[in-house]
Amino acid sequence: MTPNKEWTPNSWRAKPIKHNVEYTNQEALGRVLENINNLPPLVSPAEIDRLNKQLEKVSKGEAFLLQGGDCAESFSGCNAQQIEDKIKILLQMSLVMIWGMRVPLIRIARMGGQYAKPRSANTEVVDGKEVLTFRGENINGLEVDDREPNPDRLLRGYFHSAATVNYIRTLLNSDFANLHFPQNWNLEWVKSEDIRSEYKEIINKLADAFDFMKTIGVENGSPTLSSIDFYLSHEGLMLEYEEAMTERIQRISQDESGKTQKKLSFVSLEKLGTDSLEKSGDKYYNLSSHFLWIGDRTRQINGAHVEYFRGIANPIGLKVGPSLDPEELVRLLDILDPDFIPGKVTLIGRYGVSKVQAFLPQYIKAVQATNHKVVWCCDPCHGNTASTPEGYKTREYNNVIGEIGLSFDIHKTLNSKLNGIHLELTGEHVTECTGGSMNIEAKDLSRNYQSFCDPRLNYLQSLDIAFMVAKKYQ
């Protein structure tokens, strides 16, 4: 598809923009963006094309999407242990879900660029002083005296993203992604003996299956068991940065693409056949990530974010909350997916357990009346956020799984299908969300509350959800 002649990577600048960052030093910002524009891409067009094809299968119910990671990454979190923990929990969740659901899983991490967040207010009061709101480490600092937006942080964000991407590639090219690990899962945190026994039974079945395949020689030389497809994503909030990372790709020859894949691929090399290396034509790709999404606060039809997103070849997500009118949703889809490409747009619903039954059916019916074939994804975290009297933002596990369960039921009733889940999670044993098999209570939150943004599901709560989804899907 030839890019729209009226669209360019900077055409968004003529549109009104929400949650923009005001930099006082425009000259410094220009230098930083020029530098970023000249730096190497973080992902390849061939990887993006492959994800597009896989999401097409998700939209048809032939696969399921698992997307998860931090609410907002931090520069200090760009270290080997935390990266490994996030990859590990997503791999373990996907293995449980594949076992129970019997469908392929597409894994997309909220990593390698999720350094900015929209905030409800531009300022906040800290110790009696009004200061600019902390908006993520590629914009400003968490310390009160470091709240002025600094263009150099965009460059730091690029290099931290590059370091994350590079280490993930290293892990995926090593035995870290080898699927022979169920026996080593740590369930000592599960307080309920019944739940622990149930989990152990499933894990033991997985281990037996791998042992059987090893015995009959299936694992020998099998790339499926030792390598995986893995993709990265972030919210496309900072359009100056996204513009700088956007490139017009006129043609990718098989030889050139093959060479690039050997250096950059998140995709198993054995899976990259000729069809993945086809000539891409003349398209614009955002090469900062495989998948980007528009937030619930920046999806204005005539706004800058929708204008930018409509021109890129990447698969894109659209957060859908109760404030969106069904007719407006259809108009957004017509803008973002004018060619009716299956899986091009992932609709990420974020309603809350108390509102999902009132709103989700409207959106399903509205989309069913069109030719758009979307990926229906449930974000059960954002609509279920609450604050304790002590000031901790938290989420109750039962509300999270409640929204997932209701979403499955609503889709089934309307002859539709929930195609994925989108979670804010971590592979660490934090205490930020209540409930789950650890039986975390509000009084326990202070024990290990680490998030500087929104609360995340911890390692075991994330596994709890994987087991729950695997059961519900059957």
Coordinates of all heavy atoms in Angstrom, one line a residue, residues 429-462:
H429 N 8.4 -10.2 43.2 CA 7.4 -10.5 44.3 C 7.1 -9.2 45.0 O 7.2 -9.1 46.2 CB 8.0 -11.5 45.3 CG 8.1 -12.9 44.7 ND1 7.0 -13.7 44.3 CD2 9.2 -13.6 44.3 CE1 7.5 -14.8 43.8 NE2 8.8 -14.8 43.7
V430 N 6.5 -8.2 44.2 CA 6.1 -7.0 44.8 C 4.8 -7.1 45.5 O 4.1 -8.1 45.3 CB 6.1 -5.8 43.8 CG1 7.4 -5.6 43.1 CG2 5.0 -6.2 42.7
T431 N 4.4 -6.1 46.3 CA 3.1 -6.1 47.0 C 2.4 -4.8 46.6 O 2.4 -3.9 47.3 CB 3.2 -6.2 48.5 OG1 4.1 -5.2 49.0 CG2 3.8 -7.6 48.9
E432 N 1.8 -4.8 45.4 CA 1.2 -3.6 44.9 C -0.3 -3.8 44.6 O -1.1 -2.9 44.7 CB 1.9 -3.2 43.6 CG 3.3 -2.8 43.9 CD 4.2 -2.5 42.7 OE1 3.6 -2.6 41.5 OE2 5.4 -2.3 42.8
C433 N -0.7 -5.1 44.3 CA -2.1 -5.4 44.1 C -2.5 -6.4 45.2 O -1.7 -7.3 45.6 CB -2.3 -6.1 42.7 SG -2.0 -5.0 41.3
T434 N -3.7 -6.3 45.6 CA -4.2 -7.2 46.7 C -4.9 -8.4 46.1 O -5.2 -8.5 45.0 CB -5.3 -6.4 47.6 OG1 -6.3 -6.0 46.7 CG2 -4.6 -5.2 48.3
G435 N -4.9 -9.5 47.0 CA -5.6 -10.7 46.6 C -4.7 -11.7 45.8 O -3.4 -11.5 45.9
G436 N -5.2 -12.6 45.2 CA -4.5 -13.7 44.5 C -4.1 -14.8 45.4 O -4.4 -14.8 46.6
S437 N -3.4 -15.8 45.0 CA -3.0 -16.9 45.8 C -2.0 -16.6 46.9 O -1.8 -17.5 47.8 CB -2.5 -18.1 44.9 OG -1.4 -17.6 44.1
M438 N -1.4 -15.4 46.9 CA -0.6 -15.0 48.0 C -1.4 -14.4 49.1 O -0.9 -14.1 50.2 CB 0.4 -14.0 47.5 CG 1.6 -14.5 46.7 SD 2.8 -13.3 46.2 CE 3.4 -12.7 47.8
N439 N -2.7 -14.1 48.8 CA -3.7 -13.5 49.8 C -3.1 -12.2 50.3 O -3.1 -11.9 51.5 CB -3.9 -14.5 51.0 CG -4.7 -15.7 50.5 OD1 -5.5 -15.6 49.6 ND2 -4.5 -16.8 51.2
I440 N -2.6 -11.3 49.4 CA -2.1 -10.0 49.9 C -3.3 -9.1 50.3 O -4.3 -9.0 49.6 CB -1.3 -9.3 48.7 CG1 -0.1 -10.2 48.4 CG2 -1.0 -7.9 49.1 CD1 0.7 -9.6 47.2
E441 N -3.2 -8.5 51.5 CA -4.2 -7.6 52.0 C -3.7 -6.2 51.9 O -2.5 -5.9 51.7 CB -4.5 -8.0 53.4 CG -5.1 -9.4 53.6 CD -5.4 -9.8 55.0 OE1 -5.4 -8.8 55.9 OE2 -5.6 -11.0 55.3
A442 N -4.6 -5.2 52.1 CA -4.2 -3.8 52.0 C -3.1 -3.5 53.0 O -2.2 -2.7 52.7 CB -5.4 -2.9 52.3
K443 N -3.1 -4.1 54.2 CA -2.0 -3.9 55.2 C -0.7 -4.4 54.7 O 0.4 -4.0 55.3 CB -2.4 -4.5 56.5 CG -2.5 -6.0 56.5 CD -3.0 -6.5 57.9 CE -3.2 -8.0 57.8 NZ -1.9 -8.7 57.5
D444 N -0.6 -5.2 53.7 CA 0.6 -5.8 53.3 C 1.3 -5.0 52.2 O 2.5 -5.2 51.8 CB 0.4 -7.2 52.7 CG -0.2 -8.2 53.7 OD1 0.2 -8.1 54.9 OD2 -1.1 -9.0 53.3
L445 N 0.6 -4.0 51.6 CA 1.1 -3.2 50.5 C 2.4 -2.6 50.7 O 3.3 -2.5 49.9 CB 0.1 -2.2 50.0 CG -1.2 -2.8 49.5 CD1 -2.2 -1.6 49.1 CD2 -1.0 -3.7 48.2
S446 N 2.6 -2.0 51.9 CA 3.8 -1.3 52.3 C 5.1 -2.2 52.3 O 6.2 -1.7 52.3 CB 3.7 -0.5 53.6 OG 3.4 -1.4 54.6
R447 N 4.8 -3.5 52.4 CA 6.0 -4.4 52.6 C 6.9 -4.4 51.4 O 8.2 -4.4 51.6 CB 5.4 -5.9 52.7 CG 6.4 -6.9 53.2 CD 5.7 -8.2 53.6 NE 5.2 -8.8 52.4 CZ 4.0 -9.5 52.4 NH1 3.3 -9.5 53.5 NH2 3.6 -10.1 51.3
N448 N 6.4 -4.3 50.2 CA 7.3 -4.3 49.0 C 6.7 -3.6 47.9 O 6.5 -4.1 46.8 CB 7.8 -5.7 48.6 CG 8.9 -5.7 47.6 OD1 9.7 -4.7 47.6 ND2 9.1 -6.8 46.9
Y449 N 6.2 -2.3 48.1 CA 5.6 -1.5 47.1 C 6.7 -0.7 46.4 O 7.3 0.2 47.0 CB 4.6 -0.6 47.7 CG 3.5 0.0 46.7 CD1 2.3 -0.5 46.7 CD2 3.9 1.0 45.9 CE1 1.3 0.0 45.8 CE2 3.0 1.5 45.0 CZ 1.7 1.0 44.9 OH 0.8 1.5 44.0
Q450 N 6.9 -1.0 45.1 CA 8.0 -0.4 44.4 C 7.6 0.5 43.2 O 8.4 1.4 42.8 CB 8.9 -1.5 43.8 CG 9.6 -2.4 44.9 CD 10.5 -3.4 44.3 OE1 10.8 -3.4 43.1 NE2 10.9 -4.4 45.1
S451 N 6.4 0.4 42.7 CA 6.0 1.2 41.6 C 6.0 2.7 41.9 O 5.5 3.1 42.9 CB 4.6 0.7 41.1 OG 4.2 1.5 40.0
F452 N 6.5 3.5 40.9 CA 6.4 4.9 41.0 C 5.2 5.4 40.2 O 5.0 6.6 40.1 CB 7.7 5.6 40.6 CG 8.2 5.3 39.3 CD1 7.6 6.0 38.2 CD2 9.1 4.3 39.0 CE1 8.1 5.7 36.9 CE2 9.6 4.0 37.7 CZ 9.0 4.7 36.7
C453 N 4.5 4.5 39.6 CA 3.3 4.9 38.8 C 2.1 4.1 39.2 O 1.6 4.3 40.3 CB 3.7 4.6 37.3 SG 2.5 5.4 36.1
D454 N 1.6 3.2 38.4 CA 0.5 2.4 38.7 C 0.9 1.0 39.3 O 2.0 0.5 39.0 CB -0.4 2.2 37.5 CG -1.2 3.4 37.1 OD1 -1.3 4.3 38.0 OD2 -1.7 3.5 36.0
P455 N 0.0 0.4 40.1 CA 0.3 -0.9 40.7 C 0.4 -2.0 39.7 O -0.4 -2.0 38.8 CB -0.8 -1.1 41.7 CG -1.9 -0.3 41.2 CD -1.3 0.9 40.5
R456 N 1.3 -3.0 39.9 CA 1.4 -4.1 39.0 C 1.1 -5.4 39.7 O 1.4 -5.6 40.8 CB 2.9 -4.1 38.5 CG 3.4 -2.8 37.8 CD 4.9 -2.8 37.8 NE 5.4 -2.7 39.1 CZ 6.7 -2.8 39.4 NH1 7.6 -3.0 38.5 NH2 7.1 -2.8 40.7
L457 N 0.6 -6.3 38.9 CA 0.5 -7.7 39.3 C 1.8 -8.3 39.6 O 2.7 -8.1 38.7 CB -0.3 -8.5 38.3 CG -1.7 -8.1 38.0 CD1 -2.2 -8.6 36.6 CD2 -2.7 -8.5 39.1
N458 N 2.0 -9.0 40.6 CA 3.3 -9.6 40.9 C 3.5 -11.0 40.2 O 2.6 -11.4 39.4 CB 3.6 -9.7 42.4 CG 2.7 -10.7 43.1 OD1 2.1 -11.5 42.5 ND2 2.6 -10.5 44.4
Y459 N 4.6 -11.6 40.4 CA 4.9 -12.9 39.7 C 3.8 -13.9 39.9 O 3.3 -14.4 38.9 CB 6.2 -13.4 40.3 CG 6.5 -14.8 39.9 CD1 7.1 -15.1 38.6 CD2 6.2 -15.9 40.7 CE1 7.3 -16.4 38.2 CE2 6.5 -17.2 40.3 CZ 7.0 -17.5 39.1 OH 7.3 -18.8 38.7
L460 N 3.4 -14.1 41.1 CA 2.4 -15.2 41.3 C 1.0 -14.8 40.9 O 0.2 -15.6 40.4 CB 2.4 -15.6 42.8 CG 1.8 -17.0 43.1 CD1 2.5 -18.0 42.3 CD2 2.0 -17.3 44.6
Q461 N 0.6 -13.5 41.1 CA -0.7 -13.0 40.6 C -0.8 -13.1 39.1 O -1.9 -13.5 38.6 CB -0.9 -11.6 41.1 CG -1.2 -11.5 42.6 CD -1.0 -10.0 43.1 OE1 -0.3 -9.2 42.5 NE2 -1.7 -9.7 44.1
S462 N 0.3 -12.9 38.4 CA 0.3 -13.1 37.0 C 0.1 -14.5 36.6 O -0.6 -14.8 35.6 CB 1.7 -12.5 36.4 OG 1.9 -11.2 36.7

